[in-house]
């Protein structure tokens, strides 16, 4: 058994919904301007009592409940985030404590920005195969509203908060994974410094050029490895950065738009949370087909990228 099979999902969104009209009262923008350039209509921001940790715990608890597994069945917990409220304890360790996961199992955070959930899958798979165990909990969570400059209309309109979680099982099912990085600060979020944390900044045109190059390459790589075609896939779940990026790649791939899931209109760009939030929505709506492979493609800050093909439980 050397692949991962998706067996359960969970999700959590914060309590504050921010519409484009609300943003237009904060910065010089409009619903028409935002929608035409991004496809985003609303996004969710954390309330004062919410954080990446509270969202991660809620999503992880839901995934565990739906899996039918006991906490003792989880062999590792990996959390992908770039917006953890604390340097330590990690979000994963706080999830471990909240869910009562065994203390003799690894729990750690990773940061690969918008590709983080796919990097988390790779880390979890590696730990399962080297340390033993059958089930892994992988979370993507973000509170990007805490990192934004609310007066910068080029970024504050894009990002949202949320969390998604998935439980994976080692299985002999269709599976492929590719990861990569190209060091660049065209999308930058600064950590603590003498001057305080630097807000998110982005060269939108450079990020767009990177994304429309990385997305098709990742998809072709994992399709070639599994000897599958786009027609074999039930869904292609991309990082939800911008509808224009996905639409550009659909056209370049001459693909069926109906295969490419989109939810950025409701959530904005939630970085590491975007793919697991999308997977959870598909599972909740009954749109994940048991036994059918699907692709997940990530791309974003770092610059990092990743692609995976996996199967939903039969």
């Amino acid at each position: 058994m050397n692949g991962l099979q998706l067996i359960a999902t969970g999700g959590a969104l914060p309590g504050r919904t921010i519409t484009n009209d609300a943003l237009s009262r904060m910065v010089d923008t409009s619903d028409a301007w935002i929608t035409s350039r991004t496809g985003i209509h609303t996004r969710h921001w954390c309330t004062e009592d919410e954080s990446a940790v509270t969202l991660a715990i809620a999503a992880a608890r839901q995934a565990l409940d739906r899996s039918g597994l006991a906490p003792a069945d989880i062999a590792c917990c990996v959390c992908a985030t770039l917006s953890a409220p604390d340097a330590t304890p990690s979000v994963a360790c706080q999830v471990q404590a909240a869910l009562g996961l065994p203390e003799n199992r690894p729990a750690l955070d990773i940061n690969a920005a918008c590709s983080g959930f796919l990097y988390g899958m790779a880390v979890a798979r590696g730990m399962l195969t080297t340390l033993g165990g059958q089930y892994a909990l992988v979370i993507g969570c973000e509170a990007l509203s805490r990192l934004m400059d609310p007066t910068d209309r080029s970024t504050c309109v894009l990002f949202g908060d949320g969390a998604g979680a998935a439980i994976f099982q080692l299985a002999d099912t269709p599976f492929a994974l590719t990861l990569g990085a190209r060091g660049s600060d065209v999308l930058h979020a600064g950590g603590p410094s003498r001057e305080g944390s630097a807000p998110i900044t982005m060269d939108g045109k450079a990020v767009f050029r990177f994304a429309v190059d990385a997305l098709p390459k990742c998809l072709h790589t994992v399709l070639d490895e599994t000897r599958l075609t786009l027609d074999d896939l039930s869904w292609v779940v991309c990082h939800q950065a911008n509808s224009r990026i996905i639409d550009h790649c659909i056209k370049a791939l001459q693909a069926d738009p109906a295969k490419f899931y989109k939810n950025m209109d409701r959530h904005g760009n939630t970085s590491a949370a975007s793919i697991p939030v999308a997977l959870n929505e598909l599972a909740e709506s009954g749109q994940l087909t048991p036994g059918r492979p699907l692709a997940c493609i990530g791309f974003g800050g770092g610059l990092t990228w990743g692609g995976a093909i996996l199967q939903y439980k039969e």
Side-chain angles (χ1 to χ4, degrees):
M1 295 187 292
N2 58 8
L4 294 179
Q5 178 176 236
L6 177 64
I7 66 167
T9 65
L13 297 171
R16 189 179 173 200
T17 300
I18 306 296
T19 65
N20 289 347
D21 286 335
L23 283 172
S24 71
R25 296 190 289 271
M26 298 166 56
V27 294
D28 181 17
T29 190
S30 68
D31 175 66
W33 190 91
I34 298 169
T35 302
S36 64
R37 287 162 175 79
T38 69
I40 299 168
H41 295 284
T42 62
R43 72 287 293 146
H44 307 273
W45 290 356
C46 285
T47 64
E48 184 177 345
D49 297 328
E50 294 172 318
S51 70
V53 172
T54 65
L55 297 174
I57 290 170
R61 180 173 284 120
Q62 188 176 67
L64 183 62
D65 289 345
R66 288 173 173 172
S67 72
L69 299 173
D73 295 320
I74 304 301
C76 62
C77 175
V78 182
C79 183
T81 185
L82 63 87
S83 54
D86 310 294
T88 189
S90 67
V91 176
C93 281
Q94 294 180 71
V95 170
Q96 178 266 336
L99 271 61
L101 304 182
E103 293 183 3
N104 62 341
R105 314 290 164 82
L108 76 158
D109 288 0
I110 62 167
N111 176 7
C114 307
S115 306
F117 185 71
L118 295 165
Y119 274 67
M121 286 172 55
V123 171
R125 180 188 178 211
M127 288 196 291
L128 290 177
T129 56
T130 57
L131 300 177
Q134 191 174 7
Y135 300 101
L137 170 61
V138 181
I139 307 160
C141 64
E142 300 290 9
L144 299 177
S145 61
R146 303 276 165 82
L147 304 180
M148 294 187 305
D149 177 356
T151 67
D152 179 5
R153 75 167 188 169
S154 67
T155 57
C156 75
V157 303
L158 299 175
F159 296 104
D161 305 339
I167 295 191
F168 294 102
Q169 177 184 16
L170 279 179
D172 284 325
T173 55
F175 184 79
L177 184 65
T178 183
L179 300 171
R182 180 192 305 163
S184 171
D185 65 352
V186 297
L187 198 165
H188 181 87
S193 67
R194 291 179 183 177
E195 293 77 28
S197 297
I200 295 173
T201 60
M202 184 176 69
D203 180 341
K205 291 181 179 179
V207 171
F208 183 92
R209 290 193 297 269
F210 164 74
V212 298
D213 175 62
L215 194 163
K217 284 183 178 178
C218 285
L219 185 56
H220 283 307
T221 297
V222 291
L223 284 173
D224 289 347
E225 185 173 337
T226 54
R227 298 183 180 179
L228 297 173
T229 68
L230 265 172
D231 290 338
D232 297 316
L233 302 179
S234 57
W235 288 101
V236 179
V237 180
C238 301
H239 165 53
Q240 304 290 301
N242 184 313
S243 62
R244 292 171 61 209
I245 291 172
I246 296 177
D247 290 343
H248 184 283
C249 293
I250 290 171
K251 185 176 181 181
L253 292 163
Q254 298 182 321
D256 178 5
K259 278 190 182 287
F260 287 72
Y261 188 71
K262 290 184 183 180
N263 67 5
M264 79 283 292
D265 60 317
R266 292 173 282 116
H267 306 313
N269 180 344
T270 57
S271 190
S274 72
I275 290 175
V277 166
L279 290 173
N280 182 58
E281 289 184 344
L282 285 167
E284 287 186 332
S285 61
Q287 296 184 80
L288 283 185
T289 306
R292 283 283 304 279
L294 62 112
C296 298
I297 308 293
F299 48 85
L303 295 163
T304 65
W305 64 84
I309 285 178
L310 66 151
Q311 181 174 291
Y312 186 50
K313 63 177 182 179
E314 294 195 62

